[in-house]
Structure formats: structure tokens, C-alpha cells
């Protein structure tokens, strides 16, 4: 099987009618995300390939992650089984293999030649502090164990060879960086921009500290990830990536980073954050630059989808009959979680709520429903709340728990008040739902084409 990469996915997605090409010249400063935002107003979420980007010969692909149908295509499954297929593959850790060379190093730019402004880095939202790399998968190594860690972190462009980085206190990379700081050593980093969407879904898995996310990527791709050694740092990057930035973070070097339009659809405030010095840019001969449209569905679904797996697995310990979990876009794919269960005992849904809160600190609202409610449809969940919930008995508040600082209702950094809602019906004594006999047999074509 040939290696899966961004190009193989573009071919597949093109065949499936999932990509729109934009040939008109468009600016990477607001122009590109404006097209995605306009389509979003019409509830349309195609991937967008901008082949004529103003000021650059490099095409830009964005909005790849903005549809669960496309994420399912990336895992070669149906949309309805995206979550279960993800869970199965996530467990099939597959070690990467190191190869001698790869397309990502066809062009190598080092030292003074490095100029980030040669890349079509997108400025997304009006008040963003500048252009941001939003689809960069950054690898580092734990200085104690040598184990890799990979995640996606936003990178503001400060100057031709300097990038910002925000490493949330909840992230593994933050903990690893602390170890470098204690040793007084710079932390080498390498950022992959552009690979198969299954690569990104794997990198964003919510696996425990000490698990090399490249191994999760191998499971999701269904083939070991091929890696090449970086040119200026002791790290490995995917051989079939489009673009890689190599560099290091020096302890103590900080600059003002932000504001930036976040997954909450709101701006995150500026802070003094560490700085990456870029020592090399390597890329294919004709690279494609991948962007994630921040503050929009592209950003929300990309970050939210992998997290569903750990939530499901934790809930399954409390309730073996859990059907599925979903963090809907109406909750920014992070703050609200819907769970469907086949309820066996009264009270069970409350244990499920506790398990969800334990599994993911970002979540503020949990709604548990019965298995007949479609958790991928907000209005079905709202109807269950309207018709099945006794709020006095089955809704409850947890005051001042640990949440996420980007949640605008948070105080003192992380403190968020949370709500659990058990919208399951009682096991006995609940009215039956209406149904019209024969609905399944109705052939609408035949009915309306009947000429008498
Ligand atoms: C588009 C996008 C941007 C993100 N930006 C950041 C960021 O700036 N800082 C951060 O800590 N996490 C960010 N995340 C979330 C992390 O990638 C995610 O929590 C990851 O699992 C962290 O990996 P780690 O815990 O192994 O370090 C972002 C996610 C996405 C999808
Ligand atoms: Mn990690």
C-alpha cells in the first residue's frame, strides 16, 4: 500500500466531491478564512484548495476537518461509525519506522536563509495579533525518557525566524518543557505542516503522558508512519509531510502572544509566552500549505473528535451499555458533551455524568439521554430535556470545579461551575412515543408520481 499523505487524501476527497478549488487570487490575510466563513453562513463546509494565493506560489488547503463526513473518509469508514472506528484504531499502537530520506526534505533551507514570510501563513480573525500557523503538529522529546510527544499548538509569526507558542498547563508539552527549563537547556522542536487528516486525528488523541502520538497515528492510518531525521535538531518528522519547521525554545525567551480567535469563537487574551527560534525549513518541491480555520468548525471538530474516545472509554467503566458520546459544535466541540446510554438502573446516568467530568476537564455541560435519542442532533437532545427531565431531581450543579481558562465564564484561571443533566426517562411509568404505522413502507416517488 502506498503511504497515505495529504496528496493521497486530496485525491480521495476530490473523487468524493469533498473539495472545492478556488482559482481566483485570494489573500492569506483574511481572504482565505472569509471564504470559509461565508460558506459557513450557508451551512456549507467543503474543504477549500486555494491554488492562487496572493504573494505566494504555494497553494493553501483549509477547512479539511470541518465535516465529520470528511473525517470518516480519512478513516475510510461511514460517518456513523467514525467514533467507534477511531476508538478501535487508537488502541492499535503502531511503531513508526525511520527511513533514510523522504519528500519533505527535497528542499532544505537553513540558518539565515530561513524566512517564514515565504510561506502563505494565514491571518484568520480581525483582532488576531498576526498570521498564525494553525495546522502544525509539533514533536518534542522528554529529556528524561527520550519518549516523543506530539500535539498541535498555535504559532504566531513574530519575525522571519521566530514563532510564538502557547503550551497550556494541561498539555504534556508544557510538562516536558518544564523539564528542559529545570535543566537550563533549550527544547528542540519540529513542526509538521500538511499531512493526511488521519495523522492529525492521531496526533490529537487524548492518550496518557508517555505515549508517543506517532504510534497512535500509525494505528489510525493503518500503516506505520515513516519518519526522517531532522536536519538541525535531534528529532524525527514524517517523511511524507508537506512542510517542516525545525527549531528550539530557549528557556526564559518570551514575547507577547495573542490575541487569537479561539475554538470558543472568542478571542483569547494576549500573554507573555515562549518563543521558537526556527533553524530550518524543509519542504517538498511543490508543497501545499495546510491551514486550520481557527475560531470555526474546522478548529472545533479537529480538536474535539479525538477527545471523544477517552470520554467514551471512561464512561464505559461506569456504564457498560454506553452507546456513544459527542461534543456538538453548539458547545464548541469542547464545553458540552452528550452521551447516550441504554439505561439499566435508576441513577445510572448520574454516574455517567461523573465519569464524563472526570475524563475531560474542558467539559462544562453533560447531558445523558436514552439510546433512542440521536446525540448528533441538538434538537433531539433539547427535546429529551424538554420532555424527560425533572430538573429538581435530575439536574445538578458542581460549583467551582476545574475547567478551561478559555471558557469565558471561568474565574481565577481555571475555575468553572458545571452542570449535569440526566435527561433519561424513568425505567417505568413513562408515556409511549407516537408512531405512525406504515411510515417505513411509504415510497414517496411512487406516491407523488402516481398519475391515476
Ligand atoms: C487547531 C488547534 C490549535 C490548538 N492550539 C493549542 C495551543 O495553542 N496550545 C495548547 O496547549 N493546545 C492547543 N491545542 C490542543 C492540543 O493540541 C491538544 O490538547 C493536544 O492533545 C496536546 O497534546 P499533549 O498533551 O501531548 O501536549 C490545539 C488544538 C487544535 C486542534
Ligand atoms: Mn501527549
Amino acid at each position: 500500500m502506498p503511504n497515505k499523505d495529504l496528496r493521497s487524501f486530496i485525491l480521495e476527497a476530490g473523487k468524493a466531491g469533498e473539495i472545492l478549488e478556488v482559482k481566483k487570487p485570494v489573500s492569506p490575510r483574511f481572504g482565505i478564512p472569509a471564504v470559509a466563513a461565508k460558506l459557513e453562513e450557508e451551512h456549507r463546509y467543503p474543504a477549500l484548495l486555494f491554488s492562487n494565493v496572493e504573494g505566494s506560489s504555494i497553494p493553501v488547503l483549509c477547512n479539511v476537518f470541518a465535516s465529520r463526513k470528511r473525517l470518516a473518509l480519512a478513516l475510510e469508514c461511514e460517518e456513523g461509525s467514525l467514533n467507534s472506528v477511531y476508538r478501535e484504531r487508537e488502541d492499535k499502537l503502531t511503531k513508526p519506522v525511520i527511513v533514510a530520506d523522504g519528500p519533505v526534505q527535497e528542499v532544505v533551507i537553513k540558518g539565515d536563509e530561513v524566512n517564514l514570510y515565504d510561506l502563505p501563513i494565514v491571518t484568520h480573525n480581525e483582532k488576531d495579533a498576526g498570521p498564525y500557523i494553525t495546522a502544525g503538529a509539533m514533536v518534542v522529546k522528554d529529556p528524561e525518557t527520550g519518549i516523543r510527544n506530539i500535539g498541535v499548538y498555535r504559532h504566531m509569526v513574530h519575525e522571519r525566524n521566530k514563532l510564538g507558542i502557547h503550551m497550556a498547563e494541561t498539555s504534556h508539552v508544557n510538562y516536558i518543557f518544564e523539564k528542559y527549563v529545570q535543566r537550563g537547556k533549550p527544547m528542540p522542536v519540529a513542526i509538521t505542516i500538511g499531512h493526511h487528516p488521519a495523522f492529525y486525528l492521531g496526533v490529537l488523541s487524548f492518550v496518557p503522558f508517555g505515549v508517543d502520538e506517532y504510534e497512535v497515528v500509525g494505528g489510525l492510518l493503518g500503516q506505520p508512519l515513516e519518519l526522517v531525521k531532522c536536519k538541525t535538531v535531534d528529532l524525527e518528522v514524517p517523511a511524507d509531510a508537506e512542510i517542516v519547521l525545525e527549531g528550539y525554545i530557549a528557556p526564559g525567551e518570551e514575547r507577547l502572544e495573542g490575541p487569537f480567535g479561539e475554538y470558543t469563537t472568542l478571542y483569547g487574551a494576549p500573554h507573555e509566552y515562549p518563543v521558537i527560534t526556527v533553524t530550518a525549513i524543509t519542504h517538498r518541491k511543490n508543497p501545499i500549505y495546510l491551514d486550520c480555520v481557527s475560531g470555526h468548525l474546522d478548529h472545533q471538530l479537529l480538536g474535539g473528535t479525538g477527545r471523544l474516545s477517552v470520554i467514551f472509554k471512561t464512561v464505559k467503566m461506569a456504564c457498560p451499555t454506553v452507546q456513544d458520546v459527542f461534543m456538538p459544535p453548539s458547545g464548541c466541540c469542547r464545553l458540552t458533551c452528550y452521551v447516550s446510554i441504554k439505561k439499566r438502573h435508576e441513577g445510572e446516568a448520574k454516574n455517567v455524568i461523573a465519569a464524563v467530568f472526570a475524563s475531560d476537564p474542558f467539559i462544562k455541560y453533560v447531558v445523558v439521554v436514552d439510546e433512542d435519542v440521536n446525540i448528533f442532533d441538538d434538537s433531539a437532545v433539547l427535546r429529551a430535556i424538554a420532555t424527560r427531565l425533572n430538573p429538581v431531581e435530575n439536574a445538578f450543579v458542581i460549583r467551582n470545579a476545574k475547567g478551561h481558562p478559555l471558557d469565558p465564564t471561568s474565574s481565577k484561571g481555571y475555575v468553572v461551575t458545571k452542570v449535569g443533566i440526566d435527561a433519561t426517562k424513568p425505567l417505568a411509568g413513562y408515556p409511549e412515543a407516537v408512531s405512525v404505522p406504515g411510515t417505513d413502507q411509504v415510497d414517496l416517488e411512487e406516491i407523488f408520481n402516481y398519475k391515476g
Side-chain angles (χ1 to χ4, degrees), residues 63-346:
N63 231 26
V64 169
F65 307 101
S67 118
R68 280 177 59 86
K69 186 168 167 220
R70 228 163 19 252
L71 297 181
L73 184 68
L75 298 190
E76 292 152 338
C77 68
E78 296 298 319
E79 186 179 345
S81 50
L82 172 60
N83 291 356
S84 59
V85 167
Y86 187 99
R87 292 195 293 269
E88 279 162 35
R89 303 242 189 108
E90 184 188 49
D91 291 338
K92 291 185 184 152
L93 294 183
T94 307
K95 285 206 183 310
V97 291
I98 299 199
V99 295
D101 48 46
V104 72
Q105 293 177 337
E106 281 168 353
V107 177
V108 177
I109 302 154
K110 286 197 232 176
D112 290 346
E113 301 296 307
V114 165
N115 186 0
L116 292 164
Y117 296 108
D118 288 339
L119 299 174
I121 302 175
V122 175
T123 310
H124 298 87
N125 291 295
E126 187 183 0
K127 296 195 171 149
D128 283 1
Y132 269 79
I133 296 167
T134 52
M138 190 180 90
V139 59
V140 300
K141 267 185 194 162
D142 185 324
E144 231 169 320
T145 61
I147 298 174
R148 293 185 202 96
N149 187 76
I150 306 101
V152 173
Y153 319 95
R154 64 184 198 227
H155 300 292
M156 175 179 160
V157 180
H158 285 309
E159 53 179 284
R160 67 207 313 270
N161 69 337
K162 297 271 185 185
L163 288 170
I165 182 165
H166 159 239
M167 295 175 277
E169 287 82 350
T170 44
S171 68
H172 298 154
V173 73
N174 181 292
Y175 179 47
I176 293 172
F177 181 56
E178 278 305 310
K179 296 190 188 193
Y180 282 95
V181 171
Q182 276 159 20
R183 287 164 170 73
K185 292 218 164 106
M187 176 167 78
V189 304
I191 301 164
T192 294
I193 306 169
H195 206 291
H196 195 280
F199 166 84
Y200 283 91
L201 288 177
V203 158
L204 285 157
S205 62
F206 204 31
V207 285
F209 184 73
V211 176
D212 175 348
E213 283 90 351
Y214 281 164
E215 297 190 16
V216 184
V217 169
L220 286 181
L221 283 172
Q223 58 184 191
L225 188 63
E226 289 190 358
L227 301 176
V228 288
K229 289 195 176 299
C230 288
K231 296 291 181 187
T232 58
V233 289
D234 180 22
L235 289 167
E236 299 80 28
V237 287
D240 297 297
E242 295 293 324
I243 300 168
V244 163
L245 312 179
E246 304 178 5
Y248 61 86
I249 307 179
E253 186 179 352
E254 291 194 339
R255 276 196 209 181
L256 201 62
E257 192 266 2
F260 178 66
E262 269 292 348
Y263 72 88
T264 52
T265 71
L266 306 162
Y267 291 105
H271 292 100
E272 290 286 330
Y273 280 142
V275 172
I276 298 173
T277 301
V278 180
T279 51
I281 301 178
T282 79
H283 61 77
R284 292 180 181 239
K285 275 196 189 117
N286 295 298
I288 299 165
Y289 180 86
L290 183 68
D291 173 70
C292 173
V293 187
S294 63
H296 289 265
L297 194 60
D298 202 18
H299 187 175
Q300 294 169 336
L301 273 180
L302 171 59
T305 303
R307 304 176 84 90
L308 297 177
S309 173
V310 165
I311 299 168
F312 181 92
K313 288 167 184 168
T314 312
V315 169
K316 200 159 171 92
M317 290 193 267
C319 175
T321 52
V322 55
Q323 305 292 293
D324 211 346
V325 302
F326 185 49
M327 293 195 282
S330 58
C332 313
C333 298
R334 306 280 198 293
L335 304 179
T336 302
C337 184
Y338 298 154
V339 187
S340 58
I341 63 169
K342 222 178 233 167
K343 187 163 106 173
R344 299 165 308 150
H345 311 291
E346 293 300 353

